Amino acid sequence: RLLLNRQFGSVAVMALALGMVMYGSTYVIPQFLAIISDYNAFQTGLVIFWMGIPAFVLMPILPFMIRRLHIRIAVGVGMLLMAASCFVSISLTAESGGAVFIESQLIRGVGMILAMMFLNQATVASVAKTDAGDASGIFNAARNLGGSFALAGLASFQDQRIWHHSRRMEETLNANSASLQIYLDELAKSFGGMEGAMSMLGRTIQRDAFVMTYNDVFLVMGVLTLMTVPLVIFLKPLPKNVSLSMH
């Protein structure tokens, strides 16, 4: 019944997108760094750490922002930043390391804190006081469901896109191509014969298929998040005497 409330329903949909990007990026980035960049757990943790810095910086001024900043602007900017953080990461290459994610992690951190905190307030403000507890539970469930959908969906999407990119690259390799023969001869000199060269070629194709797949993943997350931004028009201004609440 609460989801039929236009404002709260919009909040729930945006919470799904918020959870998708927040948990989805935390799932994808460590994978990329481990598989492509050969990072260990500590090095990966240092990259993920950057997303928490904006929250640490903005938290002290959030009560002031919630009282002064219009919720549509705050949530709209937050969701746009979440989408932008994904679009920043759609040009990854096999040489990309943790440094390329610092910018996107900082942008994502700012967007996350803006969207999450203001949507928290909208959750309570959009329903009657007697329904505030239920609304808060649904909001948290929607955010976590967004993360669950992202993890399940991304795993399946990755398998399909890796297969797609691998097949497309293999189709371009003509056995009669002079440039391919030269390339394989060079690999054979370095990797112990033609068998080693073919194995190295296969690993290169698989690696590049992974990279292109991660670019696809960030593109999809960015587009899906961008699609929820128009829902901010259904958000009503928060009460003037609102106080910061955490759910």
Side-chain angles (χ1 to χ4, degrees):
R1 175 179 57 83
L2 292 178
L3 290 172
L4 297 179
N5 178 320
R6 187 167 58 181
Q7 181 179 4
F8 181 70
S10 300
V11 169
V13 172
M14 285 186 280
L16 284 169
L18 185 67
M20 175 188 68
V21 176
M22 183 170 63
Y23 293 112
S25 61
T26 307
Y27 167 75
V28 171
I29 292 175
Q31 267 196 349
F32 179 90
L33 293 175
I35 295 173
I36 305 299
S37 305
D38 199 27
Y39 273 36
N40 59 35
F42 178 74
Q43 290 171 312
T44 301
L46 291 178
V47 176
I48 299 298
F49 167 79
W50 286 96
M51 187 170 68
I53 292 178
F56 180 78
V57 174
L58 293 176
M59 192 62 73
I61 62 172
L62 267 178
F64 173 82
M65 294 173 65
I66 287 175
R67 287 191 294 268
R68 299 290 183 178
L69 196 58
H70 196 290
I71 187 170
R72 291 176 182 170
I73 295 175
V75 174
V77 170
M79 298 305 288
L80 285 172
L81 288 175
M82 294 284 282
S85 71
C86 296
F87 293 137
V88 167
S89 300
I90 63 175
S91 299
L92 300 172
T93 70
E95 286 72 42
S96 297
V100 302
F101 291 109
I102 293 177
E103 180 184 3
S104 64
Q105 287 290 79
L106 290 173
I107 295 173
R108 186 173 296 115
V110 174
M112 184 180 67
I113 196 70
L114 280 176
M116 186 181 296
M117 291 299 102
F118 277 84
L119 287 175
N120 260 324
Q121 306 308 311
T123 296
V124 178
S126 62
V127 298
K129 289 184 178 180
T130 54
D131 293 324
D134 290 336
S136 176
I138 293 174
F139 173 81
N140 286 326
R143 187 184 62 206
N144 292 333
L145 276 175
S148 298
F149 292 154
L151 298 183
L154 288 178
S156 176
F157 180 75
Q158 281 179 316
D159 287 341
Q160 295 175 6
R161 297 305 291 175
I162 289 170
W163 182 90
H164 171 80
H165 289 306
S166 297
R167 298 296 83 77
R168 296 294 80 78
M169 282 188 283
E170 289 168 359
E171 288 172 0
T172 66
L173 300 177
N174 190 328
N176 297 320
S177 168
S179 59
L180 177 60
Q181 293 298 330
I182 293 172
Y183 177 69
L184 288 174
D185 288 341
E186 292 297 324
L187 286 179
K189 295 175 184 177
S190 303
F191 296 97
M194 191 55 67
E195 184 177 343
M198 294 298 292
S199 176
M200 186 62 190
L201 177 61
R203 289 198 295 270
T204 301
I205 291 173
Q206 189 73 3
R207 181 201 64 190
D208 289 347
F210 268 111
V211 173
M212 288 187 280
T213 295
Y214 290 120
N215 288 330
D216 292 344
V217 167
F218 282 112
L219 178 62
V220 168
M221 288 197 298
V223 170
L224 290 177
T225 304
L226 205 57
M227 290 171 61
T228 67
V229 173
L231 294 176
V232 299
I233 64 175
F234 297 120
L235 301 179
K236 298 177 182 178
L238 296 174
K240 294 296 182 182
N241 60 346
V242 66
S243 58
L244 180 64
S245 60
M246 302 286 289
H247 305 291

